[in-house]
């Protein structure tokens, strides 16, 4: 089965799996046995001397509580069992207590957010709250990986590329549109998170703004105004 899945993933250029595309729980169970953990770097790039300390931030809610533990398991398998994982539940639509307790038993740092998310991580209040939370978490790590609860990491090479490139500050696992990383998974170097939170507080965005698009756009703006944060987008291949 490993060879079959590996062939499919390579053909589809997948670094991440979307649980919404799955219909078979057996497939999920089988796939967990063959997690792909590629430490691939293209020629011309070299690692920083030390491996990054990674924190995974998952914005979840009651509607995705069944998917969240699977997302957590994939993150631990792919990024390592010592990876800090934070499940930020929606305080207005929180998961039921048994699921909260299950995540805690899995070693997840569980918390609830107190700002409106406008249904799907939208709006200025969510943008400000999310960026502030990332800035707080960034104090204790090198890279923040933001995940939707229905996304499972299969490879870590896109994160390793970000860490390897000393000039890069942000990347995404597979979606880069309008020159901005975006989608249901992206990664930020911690060094930029405080400035990102300040930017979101000063310029909160329009009423239906998308968190991922806004974060990518603002990182680009910050980079242009600060040579310490010159950005180079690294797309995973």
């Amino acid at each position: 089965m490993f060879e079959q899945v590996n062939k499919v993933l390579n053909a589809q250029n997948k670094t991440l799996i979307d649980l919404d595309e799955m219909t078979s729980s057996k497939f999920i169970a089988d796939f967990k046995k063959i997690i792909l953990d590629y430490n691939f770097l293209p020629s011309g790039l070299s690692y920083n001397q030390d491996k990054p300390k990674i924190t995974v931030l998952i914005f979840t809610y009651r509607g995705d509580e069944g998917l969240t533990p699977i997302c957590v398991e994939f993150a631990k398998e792919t990024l390592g069992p010592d990876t800090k994982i934070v499940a930020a539940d929606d305080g207005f639509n929180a998961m039921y207590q048994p699921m909260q307790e299950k995540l805690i038993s899995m070693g997840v740092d569980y918390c609830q957010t107190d700002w409106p998310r406008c249904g799907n991580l939208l709006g200025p209040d969510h943008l400000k709250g999310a960026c502030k939370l990332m800035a707080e978490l960034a104090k204790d790590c090198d890279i923040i990986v933001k995940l939707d609860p229905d996304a499972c990491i299969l490879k870590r090479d896109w994160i390793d590329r970000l860490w390897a490139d000393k000039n890069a500050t942000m990347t995404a696992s597979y979606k880069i549109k309008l020159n901005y990383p975006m989608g249901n998974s992206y990664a930020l170097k911690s060094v930029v998170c405080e400035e990102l939170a300040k930017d979101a507080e000063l310029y909160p965005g329009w009423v239906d703004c998308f968190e991922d698009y806004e974060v990518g756009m603002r990182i680009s703006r910050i980079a242009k105004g600060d040579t310490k944060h010159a950005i180079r987008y690294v797309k995973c291949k």
Side-chain angles (χ1 to χ4, degrees):
M1 181 161 181
F2 176 87
E3 293 181 355
Q4 292 176 333
V5 175
N6 192 20
K7 183 177 180 180
V8 171
L9 290 175
N10 288 335
Q12 296 182 1
N13 191 27
K14 280 189 177 293
T15 62
L16 174 143
I17 199 160
D18 189 336
L19 293 177
D20 285 339
E21 297 175 356
M22 290 184 173
T23 57
S24 170
S25 59
K26 184 179 184 303
F27 177 79
I28 296 175
D30 289 342
F31 203 91
K32 283 164 56 179
K33 299 175 183 176
I34 53 171
I35 297 296
L36 304 181
D37 185 11
Y38 291 166
N39 292 306
F40 168 79
L41 280 176
S43 59
L45 284 182
S46 60
Y47 282 106
N48 287 326
Q49 292 299 313
D50 300 319
K51 286 189 176 181
K53 186 177 180 181
I54 299 172
T55 293
V56 175
L57 173 59
I58 305 169
F59 285 109
T60 188
Y61 76 113
R62 182 176 299 175
D64 276 342
E65 69 171 15
L67 301 178
T68 306
I70 303 172
C71 177
V72 169
E73 290 182 14
F74 270 85
K76 283 183 174 291
E77 288 283 352
T78 305
L79 302 178
D82 296 331
T83 301
K84 180 178 180 179
I85 299 180
V86 178
D89 201 359
D90 186 350
F92 294 95
N93 190 16
M95 295 182 285
Y96 293 109
Q97 186 172 350
M99 182 56 70
Q100 299 175 21
E101 294 174 352
K102 178 175 181 177
L103 292 175
I104 293 172
S105 71
M106 296 173 67
V108 173
D109 288 3
Y110 174 86
C111 65
Q112 291 187 7
T113 60
D114 59 0
W115 61 78
R117 299 184 183 182
C118 299
N120 189 25
L121 308 184
L122 303 174
D125 290 330
H126 172 67
L127 178 66
K128 290 189 291 184
C131 291
K132 183 178 180 180
L133 178 56
M134 286 191 283
E136 292 173 356
L137 296 174
K139 296 175 182 178
D140 298 319
C141 66
D142 300 308
I143 290 178
I144 298 286
V145 176
K146 180 264 180 178
L147 290 177
D148 287 353
D150 60 352
C152 292
I153 298 178
L154 302 180
K155 300 180 185 179
R156 61 172 292 158
D157 58 325
W158 57 286
I159 301 171
D160 289 332
R161 292 186 186 196
L162 173 65
W163 184 242
D165 189 340
K166 296 180 180 180
N167 292 322
T169 53
M170 180 178 182
T171 191
S173 66
Y174 74 108
K175 283 188 178 180
I176 299 184
K177 296 182 178 179
L178 303 175
N179 293 322
Y180 307 129
M182 58 189 299
N184 55 11
S185 57
Y186 58 78
L188 301 170
K189 282 185 179 175
S190 297
V191 67
V192 78
C193 289
E194 183 177 353
E195 293 181 54
L196 176 65
K198 291 178 181 178
D199 191 80
E201 187 68 33
L202 288 173
Y203 310 101
W206 68 91
V207 64
D208 290 328
C209 61
F210 293 88
E211 169 218 293
D212 55 343
Y213 171 81
E214 286 288 325
V215 168
M217 180 180 66
R218 288 160 191 270
I219 292 295
S220 179
R221 181 195 304 159
I222 291 170
K224 290 177 181 177
D226 186 347
T227 56
K228 291 186 297 183
H229 296 158
I231 191 168
R232 182 166 72 84
Y233 296 108
V234 184
K235 185 173 181 179
C236 176
K237 292 184 178 180

